[in-house]
Amino acid sequence: MEYNRSQSLSEQAADEILDMITVKKKFKVGDKLPNENELSALLNVSRTTLREAIKMLVLQDIVEIKRGKGTFVKSDEVDNFTLGNLKGSNSDLADLLEMRLIIEPMAAYYATKRASDNEIEKILNYGQIIEKKIQNDEDRTEAEQLFHNAIAKASRNSFMKELVPIISKAINESVILSKQYEKATELTLKDHKMIMDFMKDRNAEGAKTAMSLHIIHTIDSFGLKDILDK
């Protein structure tokens, strides 16, 4: 059996609208999106495809449809999930990072092989946003989540979406803690550039290794290696 791992047009359109809201900040919470004709022309998709994309964003609580008025931005938060009663302890964080080490290198490998050129461009764009936020000493949590989640999604594994909230939580905890460790922030810049370069060159093995090193560097920077070695 041959599997089609390419994104549907409606998924691509939903991603583009999400990008406009969360990254490019073209639309803020409460803003009305352009009408159906304008938005479908902007995205170069049919109105039927656009409607499916909007439905996806409604299910994610990103937009809401007000009957007779139009479609409005409801939230610009990508991660609306929780993982229950995490204690915030070192062992919790170590387990989250270990989970990332198990999953994300192979996600980077398959994303590098399977992602469309547009998805690669989007991943690189998120990486550049992270770099600017680090340089300007701004919060990069959301951009980090978008970067890693875009890689996970581009792996084309249908079950990966179930793990995205966990990856987001792990990244959120890591960004908070990295503010206490200058070395961790410096390594993030170098590691992300390495991941991006390999993905841009479609070097899947290189991207996998770079992602592994990135997470290992994070574990080492936080002094959590001993916990995972036990």
PDB file of all heavy atoms in Angstrom, residues 184-211:
ATOM      1  N   ALA A 184      23.322  27.778  28.008  1.00  0.00           N
ATOM      2  CA  ALA A 184      22.230  27.090  27.311  1.00  0.00           C
ATOM      3  C   ALA A 184      21.696  27.939  26.160  1.00  0.00           C
ATOM      4  O   ALA A 184      21.399  27.427  25.078  1.00  0.00           O
ATOM      5  CB  ALA A 184      21.109  26.759  28.292  1.00  0.00           C
ATOM      6  N   THR A 185      21.586  29.248  26.383  1.00  0.00           N
ATOM      7  CA  THR A 185      21.091  30.147  25.345  1.00  0.00           C
ATOM      8  C   THR A 185      22.080  30.244  24.187  1.00  0.00           C
ATOM      9  O   THR A 185      21.693  30.237  23.016  1.00  0.00           O
ATOM     10  CB  THR A 185      20.835  31.552  25.929  1.00  0.00           C
ATOM     11  OG1 THR A 185      19.886  31.443  27.006  1.00  0.00           O
ATOM     12  CG2 THR A 185      20.268  32.486  24.873  1.00  0.00           C
ATOM     13  N   GLU A 186      23.376  30.320  24.515  1.00  0.00           N
ATOM     14  CA  GLU A 186      24.411  30.385  23.480  1.00  0.00           C
ATOM     15  C   GLU A 186      24.393  29.114  22.621  1.00  0.00           C
ATOM     16  O   GLU A 186      24.511  29.176  21.391  1.00  0.00           O
ATOM     17  CB  GLU A 186      25.790  30.553  24.125  1.00  0.00           C
ATOM     18  CG  GLU A 186      25.988  31.915  24.808  1.00  0.00           C
ATOM     19  CD  GLU A 186      27.306  31.988  25.548  1.00  0.00           C
ATOM     20  OE1 GLU A 186      28.039  30.976  25.571  1.00  0.00           O
ATOM     21  OE2 GLU A 186      27.609  33.049  26.110  1.00  0.00           O
ATOM     22  N   LEU A 187      24.243  27.971  23.275  1.00  0.00           N
ATOM     23  CA  LEU A 187      24.219  26.705  22.549  1.00  0.00           C
ATOM     24  C   LEU A 187      22.980  26.589  21.674  1.00  0.00           C
ATOM     25  O   LEU A 187      23.025  26.008  20.589  1.00  0.00           O
ATOM     26  CB  LEU A 187      24.280  25.531  23.535  1.00  0.00           C
ATOM     27  CG  LEU A 187      25.650  25.277  24.178  1.00  0.00           C
ATOM     28  CD1 LEU A 187      25.530  24.252  25.300  1.00  0.00           C
ATOM     29  CD2 LEU A 187      26.660  24.803  23.134  1.00  0.00           C
ATOM     30  N   THR A 188      21.865  27.140  22.148  1.00  0.00           N
ATOM     31  CA  THR A 188      20.631  27.110  21.358  1.00  0.00           C
ATOM     32  C   THR A 188      20.843  27.795  20.015  1.00  0.00           C
ATOM     33  O   THR A 188      20.410  27.290  18.966  1.00  0.00           O
ATOM     34  CB  THR A 188      19.470  27.783  22.119  1.00  0.00           C
ATOM     35  OG1 THR A 188      19.132  26.994  23.256  1.00  0.00           O
ATOM     36  CG2 THR A 188      18.233  27.926  21.227  1.00  0.00           C
ATOM     37  N   LEU A 189      21.500  28.952  20.028  1.00  0.00           N
ATOM     38  CA  LEU A 189      21.773  29.679  18.794  1.00  0.00           C
ATOM     39  C   LEU A 189      22.595  28.825  17.821  1.00  0.00           C
ATOM     40  O   LEU A 189      22.276  28.713  16.640  1.00  0.00           O
ATOM     41  CB  LEU A 189      22.524  30.980  19.098  1.00  0.00           C
ATOM     42  CG  LEU A 189      21.677  32.173  19.563  1.00  0.00           C
ATOM     43  CD1 LEU A 189      22.580  33.316  20.003  1.00  0.00           C
ATOM     44  CD2 LEU A 189      20.741  32.640  18.458  1.00  0.00           C
ATOM     45  N   LYS A 190      23.659  28.228  18.330  1.00  0.00           N
ATOM     46  CA  LYS A 190      24.541  27.412  17.489  1.00  0.00           C
ATOM     47  C   LYS A 190      23.832  26.151  16.997  1.00  0.00           C
ATOM     48  O   LYS A 190      23.930  25.784  15.823  1.00  0.00           O
ATOM     49  CB  LYS A 190      25.802  27.029  18.268  1.00  0.00           C
ATOM     50  CG  LYS A 190      26.695  28.215  18.620  1.00  0.00           C
ATOM     51  CD  LYS A 190      27.901  27.766  19.439  1.00  0.00           C
ATOM     52  CE  LYS A 190      28.778  28.948  19.828  1.00  0.00           C
ATOM     53  NZ  LYS A 190      29.927  28.540  20.667  1.00  0.00           N
ATOM     54  N   ASP A 191      23.127  25.494  17.916  1.00  0.00           N
ATOM     55  CA  ASP A 191      22.466  24.241  17.561  1.00  0.00           C
ATOM     56  C   ASP A 191      21.353  24.444  16.542  1.00  0.00           C
ATOM     57  O   ASP A 191      21.202  23.662  15.595  1.00  0.00           O
ATOM     58  CB  ASP A 191      21.904  23.563  18.811  1.00  0.00           C
ATOM     59  CG  ASP A 191      22.998  23.072  19.745  1.00  0.00           C
ATOM     60  OD1 ASP A 191      24.158  22.985  19.299  1.00  0.00           O
ATOM     61  OD2 ASP A 191      22.693  22.782  20.913  1.00  0.00           O
ATOM     62  N   HIS A 192      20.554  25.487  16.744  1.00  0.00           N
ATOM     63  CA  HIS A 192      19.470  25.764  15.806  1.00  0.00           C
ATOM     64  C   HIS A 192      20.015  26.044  14.410  1.00  0.00           C
ATOM     65  O   HIS A 192      19.441  25.596  13.414  1.00  0.00           O
ATOM     66  CB  HIS A 192      18.642  26.959  16.286  1.00  0.00           C
ATOM     67  CG  HIS A 192      17.606  26.589  17.291  1.00  0.00           C
ATOM     68  ND1 HIS A 192      16.536  27.397  17.590  1.00  0.00           N
ATOM     69  CD2 HIS A 192      17.468  25.492  18.075  1.00  0.00           C
ATOM     70  CE1 HIS A 192      15.781  26.822  18.508  1.00  0.00           C
ATOM     71  NE2 HIS A 192      16.330  25.661  18.820  1.00  0.00           N
ATOM     72  N   LYS A 193      21.112  26.796  14.346  1.00  0.00           N
ATOM     73  CA  LYS A 193      21.711  27.096  13.042  1.00  0.00           C
ATOM     74  C   LYS A 193      22.163  25.805  12.351  1.00  0.00           C
ATOM     75  O   LYS A 193      21.969  25.642  11.140  1.00  0.00           O
ATOM     76  CB  LYS A 193      22.903  28.039  13.193  1.00  0.00           C
ATOM     77  CG  LYS A 193      23.472  28.502  11.848  1.00  0.00           C
ATOM     78  CD  LYS A 193      24.623  29.458  12.019  1.00  0.00           C
ATOM     79  CE  LYS A 193      25.081  30.001  10.661  1.00  0.00           C
ATOM     80  NZ  LYS A 193      25.361  28.957   9.671  1.00  0.00           N
ATOM     81  N   MET A 194      22.720  24.893  13.142  1.00  0.00           N
ATOM     82  CA  MET A 194      23.170  23.624  12.579  1.00  0.00           C
ATOM     83  C   MET A 194      21.982  22.811  12.064  1.00  0.00           C
ATOM     84  O   MET A 194      22.031  22.255  10.962  1.00  0.00           O
ATOM     85  CB  MET A 194      23.938  22.832  13.651  1.00  0.00           C
ATOM     86  CG  MET A 194      24.577  21.562  13.153  1.00  0.00           C
ATOM     87  SD  MET A 194      25.851  20.916  14.282  1.00  0.00           S
ATOM     88  CE  MET A 194      24.961  20.867  15.845  1.00  0.00           C
ATOM     89  N   ILE A 195      20.916  22.749  12.843  1.00  0.00           N
ATOM     90  CA  ILE A 195      19.707  22.032  12.417  1.00  0.00           C
ATOM     91  C   ILE A 195      19.164  22.639  11.130  1.00  0.00           C
ATOM     92  O   ILE A 195      18.834  21.927  10.168  1.00  0.00           O
ATOM     93  CB  ILE A 195      18.624  22.078  13.520  1.00  0.00           C
ATOM     94  CG1 ILE A 195      19.070  21.300  14.758  1.00  0.00           C
ATOM     95  CG2 ILE A 195      17.299  21.509  12.996  1.00  0.00           C
ATOM     96  CD1 ILE A 195      18.211  21.555  15.993  1.00  0.00           C
ATOM     97  N   MET A 196      19.069  23.962  11.107  1.00  0.00           N
ATOM     98  CA  MET A 196      18.516  24.666   9.955  1.00  0.00           C
ATOM     99  C   MET A 196      19.365  24.452   8.700  1.00  0.00           C
ATOM    100  O   MET A 196      18.829  24.254   7.605  1.00  0.00           O
ATOM    101  CB  MET A 196      18.384  26.157  10.278  1.00  0.00           C
ATOM    102  CG  MET A 196      17.303  26.468  11.314  1.00  0.00           C
ATOM    103  SD  MET A 196      17.537  28.061  12.135  1.00  0.00           S
ATOM    104  CE  MET A 196      17.368  29.192  10.767  1.00  0.00           C
ATOM    105  N   ASP A 197      20.675  24.506   8.865  1.00  0.00           N
ATOM    106  CA  ASP A 197      21.568  24.319   7.713  1.00  0.00           C
ATOM    107  C   ASP A 197      21.403  22.925   7.098  1.00  0.00           C
ATOM    108  O   ASP A 197      21.344  22.772   5.874  1.00  0.00           O
ATOM    109  CB  ASP A 197      23.026  24.533   8.133  1.00  0.00           C
ATOM    110  CG  ASP A 197      23.365  26.007   8.338  1.00  0.00           C
ATOM    111  OD1 ASP A 197      22.574  26.866   7.898  1.00  0.00           O
ATOM    112  OD2 ASP A 197      24.414  26.296   8.949  1.00  0.00           O
ATOM    113  N   PHE A 198      21.331  21.906   7.969  1.00  0.00           N
ATOM    114  CA  PHE A 198      21.165  20.540   7.464  1.00  0.00           C
ATOM    115  C   PHE A 198      19.804  20.354   6.792  1.00  0.00           C
ATOM    116  O   PHE A 198      19.704  19.695   5.747  1.00  0.00           O
ATOM    117  CB  PHE A 198      21.334  19.524   8.595  1.00  0.00           C
ATOM    118  CG  PHE A 198      22.765  19.238   8.962  1.00  0.00           C
ATOM    119  CD1 PHE A 198      23.210  19.375  10.274  1.00  0.00           C
ATOM    120  CD2 PHE A 198      23.669  18.825   8.001  1.00  0.00           C
ATOM    121  CE1 PHE A 198      24.527  19.112  10.610  1.00  0.00           C
ATOM    122  CE2 PHE A 198      24.997  18.554   8.334  1.00  0.00           C
ATOM    123  CZ  PHE A 198      25.428  18.702   9.637  1.00  0.00           C
ATOM    124  N   MET A 199      18.766  20.942   7.386  1.00  0.00           N
ATOM    125  CA  MET A 199      17.439  20.811   6.794  1.00  0.00           C
ATOM    126  C   MET A 199      17.372  21.535   5.453  1.00  0.00           C
ATOM    127  O   MET A 199      16.774  21.041   4.489  1.00  0.00           O
ATOM    128  CB  MET A 199      16.362  21.333   7.746  1.00  0.00           C
ATOM    129  CG  MET A 199      16.228  20.511   9.018  1.00  0.00           C
ATOM    130  SD  MET A 199      14.711  20.851   9.953  1.00  0.00           S
ATOM    131  CE  MET A 199      13.497  20.008   8.921  1.00  0.00           C
ATOM    132  N   LYS A 200      17.989  22.702   5.390  1.00  0.00           N
ATOM    133  CA  LYS A 200      18.011  23.472   4.142  1.00  0.00           C
ATOM    134  C   LYS A 200      18.711  22.686   3.035  1.00  0.00           C
ATOM    135  O   LYS A 200      18.296  22.724   1.862  1.00  0.00           O
ATOM    136  CB  LYS A 200      18.723  24.797   4.374  1.00  0.00           C
ATOM    137  CG  LYS A 200      18.683  25.740   3.190  1.00  0.00           C
ATOM    138  CD  LYS A 200      19.350  27.066   3.536  1.00  0.00           C
ATOM    139  CE  LYS A 200      19.300  28.025   2.361  1.00  0.00           C
ATOM    140  NZ  LYS A 200      19.958  29.325   2.687  1.00  0.00           N
ATOM    141  N   ASP A 201      19.749  21.945   3.408  1.00  0.00           N
ATOM    142  CA  ASP A 201      20.500  21.135   2.442  1.00  0.00           C
ATOM    143  C   ASP A 201      19.878  19.763   2.200  1.00  0.00           C
ATOM    144  O   ASP A 201      20.426  18.948   1.461  1.00  0.00           O
ATOM    145  CB  ASP A 201      21.950  20.956   2.918  1.00  0.00           C
ATOM    146  CG  ASP A 201      22.734  22.249   2.891  1.00  0.00           C
ATOM    147  OD1 ASP A 201      22.322  23.181   2.177  1.00  0.00           O
ATOM    148  OD2 ASP A 201      23.755  22.342   3.607  1.00  0.00           O
ATOM    149  N   ARG A 202      18.755  19.488   2.876  1.00  0.00           N
ATOM    150  CA  ARG A 202      18.070  18.192   2.772  1.00  0.00           C
ATOM    151  C   ARG A 202      18.978  17.041   3.211  1.00  0.00           C
ATOM    152  O   ARG A 202      18.937  15.950   2.638  1.00  0.00           O
ATOM    153  CB  ARG A 202      17.574  17.950   1.342  1.00  0.00           C
ATOM    154  CG  ARG A 202      16.517  18.943   0.878  1.00  0.00           C
ATOM    155  CD  ARG A 202      15.183  18.705   1.550  1.00  0.00           C
ATOM    156  NE  ARG A 202      14.151  19.604   1.031  1.00  0.00           N
ATOM    157  CZ  ARG A 202      12.853  19.502   1.311  1.00  0.00           C
ATOM    158  NH1 ARG A 202      12.432  18.535   2.122  1.00  0.00           N
ATOM    159  NH2 ARG A 202      11.984  20.348   0.824  1.00  0.00           N
ATOM    160  N   ASN A 203      19.792  17.310   4.236  1.00  0.00           N
ATOM    161  CA  ASN A 203      20.675  16.299   4.804  1.00  0.00           C
ATOM    162  C   ASN A 203      19.991  15.719   6.040  1.00  0.00           C
ATOM    163  O   ASN A 203      20.111  16.249   7.144  1.00  0.00           O
ATOM    164  CB  ASN A 203      22.024  16.923   5.166  1.00  0.00           C
ATOM    165  CG  ASN A 203      23.035  15.898   5.659  1.00  0.00           C
ATOM    166  OD1 ASN A 203      22.681  14.871   6.222  1.00  0.00           O
ATOM    167  ND2 ASN A 203      24.313  16.185   5.459  1.00  0.00           N
ATOM    168  N   ALA A 204      19.250  14.627   5.846  1.00  0.00           N
ATOM    169  CA  ALA A 204      18.431  14.063   6.915  1.00  0.00           C
ATOM    170  C   ALA A 204      19.270  13.532   8.073  1.00  0.00           C
ATOM    171  O   ALA A 204      18.935  13.738   9.243  1.00  0.00           O
ATOM    172  CB  ALA A 204      17.527  12.963   6.365  1.00  0.00           C
ATOM    173  N   GLU A 205      20.355  12.832   7.776  1.00  0.00           N
ATOM    174  CA  GLU A 205      21.218  12.292   8.831  1.00  0.00           C
ATOM    175  C   GLU A 205      21.843  13.422   9.638  1.00  0.00           C
ATOM    176  O   GLU A 205      21.951  13.347  10.867  1.00  0.00           O
ATOM    177  CB  GLU A 205      22.319  11.412   8.225  1.00  0.00           C
ATOM    178  CG  GLU A 205      21.844  10.042   7.764  1.00  0.00           C
ATOM    179  CD  GLU A 205      21.471   9.112   8.914  1.00  0.00           C
ATOM    180  OE1 GLU A 205      21.793   9.439  10.079  1.00  0.00           O
ATOM    181  OE2 GLU A 205      20.842   8.076   8.650  1.00  0.00           O
ATOM    182  N   GLY A 206      22.252  14.473   8.947  1.00  0.00           N
ATOM    183  CA  GLY A 206      22.826  15.623   9.638  1.00  0.00           C
ATOM    184  C   GLY A 206      21.815  16.298  10.545  1.00  0.00           C
ATOM    185  O   GLY A 206      22.132  16.674  11.678  1.00  0.00           O
ATOM    186  N   ALA A 207      20.576  16.443  10.063  1.00  0.00           N
ATOM    187  CA  ALA A 207      19.523  17.076  10.871  1.00  0.00           C
ATOM    188  C   ALA A 207      19.224  16.243  12.112  1.00  0.00           C
ATOM    189  O   ALA A 207      19.015  16.787  13.199  1.00  0.00           O
ATOM    190  CB  ALA A 207      18.266  17.249  10.027  1.00  0.00           C
ATOM    191  N   LYS A 208      19.199  14.927  11.945  1.00  0.00           N
ATOM    192  CA  LYS A 208      18.954  14.031  13.082  1.00  0.00           C
ATOM    193  C   LYS A 208      20.053  14.188  14.129  1.00  0.00           C
ATOM    194  O   LYS A 208      19.767  14.320  15.332  1.00  0.00           O
ATOM    195  CB  LYS A 208      18.892  12.575  12.606  1.00  0.00           C
ATOM    196  CG  LYS A 208      18.642  11.578  13.737  1.00  0.00           C
ATOM    197  CD  LYS A 208      18.543  10.148  13.212  1.00  0.00           C
ATOM    198  CE  LYS A 208      19.890   9.597  12.832  1.00  0.00           C
ATOM    199  NZ  LYS A 208      19.840   8.152  12.503  1.00  0.00           N
ATOM    200  N   THR A 209      21.303  14.181  13.696  1.00  0.00           N
ATOM    201  CA  THR A 209      22.431  14.318  14.627  1.00  0.00           C
ATOM    202  C   THR A 209      22.414  15.686  15.302  1.00  0.00           C
ATOM    203  O   THR A 209      22.644  15.790  16.519  1.00  0.00           O
ATOM    204  CB  THR A 209      23.765  14.136  13.866  1.00  0.00           C
ATOM    205  OG1 THR A 209      23.791  12.837  13.280  1.00  0.00           O
ATOM    206  CG2 THR A 209      24.955  14.287  14.808  1.00  0.00           C
ATOM    207  N   ALA A 210      22.136  16.738  14.532  1.00  0.00           N
ATOM    208  CA  ALA A 210      22.108  18.091  15.081  1.00  0.00           C
ATOM    209  C   ALA A 210      21.018  18.234  16.139  1.00  0.00           C
ATOM    210  O   ALA A 210      21.225  18.869  17.181  1.00  0.00           O
ATOM    211  CB  ALA A 210      21.893  19.104  13.958  1.00  0.00           C
ATOM    212  N   MET A 211      19.853  17.627  15.894  1.00  0.00           N
ATOM    213  CA  MET A 211      18.772  17.694  16.878  1.00  0.00           C
ATOM    214  C   MET A 211      19.148  16.933  18.149  1.00  0.00           C
ATOM    215  O   MET A 211      18.878  17.397  19.264  1.00  0.00           O
ATOM    216  CB  MET A 211      17.477  17.136  16.282  1.00  0.00           C
ATOM    217  CG  MET A 211      16.273  17.238  17.220  1.00  0.00           C
ATOM    218  SD  MET A 211      15.774  18.941  17.584  1.00  0.00           S
ATOM    219  CE  MET A 211      14.855  19.340  16.086  1.00  0.00           C
TER     220      MET A 211
END
